[in-house]
Amino acid sequence: MITVSRADKLGPNAREQMAKIFAEGFKDWLVFFSKDENQLAAAFGHMFVLNQFYAAVIDNEIAAIAACTNCQTPSVKLQPKELRKHLGWFKGSLAAFVLKKEFEAHFKNPPSDTGSIEFVGTAAQFRGQGVASEMIRYIMESTPYKEYLIEEVADTNIPAMNLYKKLGFQEYRRTPVPQMKAKKIGITNFIALKYRKEG
Ligand SMILES: CC(C)(COP(=O)(O)OP(=O)(O)OC[C@H]1O[C@@H](n2cnc3c(N)ncnc32)[C@H](O)[C@@H]1OP(=O)(O)O)[C@@H](O)C(=O)NCCC(=O)NCCS
């Protein structure tokens, strides 16, 4: 049975389990900083703002994570000291500089009554079993927003695009990646998606 709860209501080792899922799900993006998933988990585990995150739990194990913010409060806070401790001075400093901009990006004019869904990931052994769908449905039922946004989904991320479309999200913005970069990273567009609750 899947139960979904806010991550700050879970036990003391929640952060560690969340970090593993994050590293597993986002390793392709973070490969420059380390190819070692355990090292990535150790480096990024500190950043989760737990009261902004939800976790799906199966048999006392965290199976999936996602943040939902009010488009103003960041869901993660990167600490340069922690990043340097695990990634070394150079890569740690670079991660703090580059990823802070990306991970903690603010909405310029935060829309009202709107939630931002971020950092969705399911542990590999639980993928394809409806876990992310159930977790996101729970988040949308238990938060008060009328609309939900998911910013920056790579057009090549078929599992994610299918997941969000199946849940009823629709594309509202498409940002082309400059040609040189697109060739290098294999992504042509970043898609922003939106879901509006009925009624
Ligand atoms: C994207 C991700 C969160 C999906 O989690 P999940 O728990 O496996 O998703 P679900 O089982 O709820 O799947 C729901 C729907 O998504 C789609 N989907 C999921 N995995 C898929 C896959 N490998 N290929 C194609 N479609 C897929 C399907 O439409 C599926 O519905 P169906 O089972 O009726 O066909 C997971 O693959 C993941 O963690 N990926 C790495 C991190 C990531 O890319 N996060 C998204 C960042 S925007």
Side-chain angles (χ1 to χ4, degrees):
M1 198 183 80
I2 304 174
T3 54
V4 184
S5 34
R6 271 230 328 249
D8 58 337
K9 312 269 186 242
L10 298 170
N13 67 352
R15 187 179 286 281
E16 202 183 318
Q17 291 186 55
M18 291 168 69
K20 276 192 178 160
I21 295 175
F22 170 80
E24 194 174 55
F26 295 90
K27 61 176 184 255
D28 292 349
W29 297 99
L30 301 170
V31 68
F32 169 79
F33 299 105
S34 173
K35 290 185 181 70
D36 177 351
E37 255 176 68
N38 292 327
Q39 193 180 10
L40 290 173
F44 289 94
H46 72 278
M47 73 176 181
F48 306 115
V49 179
L50 291 183
N51 64 7
Q52 303 293 320
F53 268 85
Y54 290 79
V57 177
I58 299 175
D59 294 335
N60 292 320
E61 196 180 339
I62 299 185
I65 59 168
C68 180
T69 76
N70 60 1
C71 295
Q72 294 178 57
T73 314
S75 58
V76 298
K77 281 192 183 147
L78 285 168
Q79 291 171 21
K81 209 172 143 193
E82 277 293 309
L83 292 167
R84 284 189 206 115
K85 186 167 120 192
H86 296 283
L87 301 174
W89 189 89
F90 177 67
K91 288 192 173 172
S93 302
L94 207 60
F97 180 71
V98 177
L99 298 177
K100 206 171 176 65
K101 271 196 207 158
E102 209 172 301
F103 287 4
E104 298 180 28
H106 296 293
F107 283 80
K108 283 198 185 90
N109 298 303
S112 58
D113 290 331
T114 303
S116 166
I117 295 184
E118 303 167 0
F119 298 106
V120 179
T122 300
Q125 74 268 32
F126 292 109
R127 287 186 194 163
Q129 297 167 39
V131 179
S133 309
E134 194 160 330
M135 175 178 64
I136 294 172
R137 273 198 207 100
Y138 173 93
I139 292 172
M140 295 198 295
E141 278 161 19
S142 59
T143 50
Y145 308 114
K146 291 195 177 119
E147 214 160 67
Y148 292 83
L149 304 179
I150 300 177
E151 299 283 280
E152 289 221 345
V153 185
D155 57 0
T156 46
N157 192 342
I158 305 299
M161 286 301 295
N162 285 352
L163 162 71
Y164 302 140
K165 291 219 162 128
K166 195 177 168 195
L167 287 167
F169 280 83
Q170 288 179 346
E171 177 178 335
Y172 77 95
R173 194 183 61 229
R174 176 173 282 247
T175 312
V177 177
Q179 217 172 7
M180 286 281 277
K181 195 175 172 194
K183 221 171 168 188
K184 201 168 157 203
I185 62 174
I187 296 166
T188 328
N189 295 285
F190 282 107
I191 315 286
L193 300 155
K194 183 188 279 195
Y195 174 91
R196 191 163 183 85
K197 273 181 186 165
E198 282 167 23

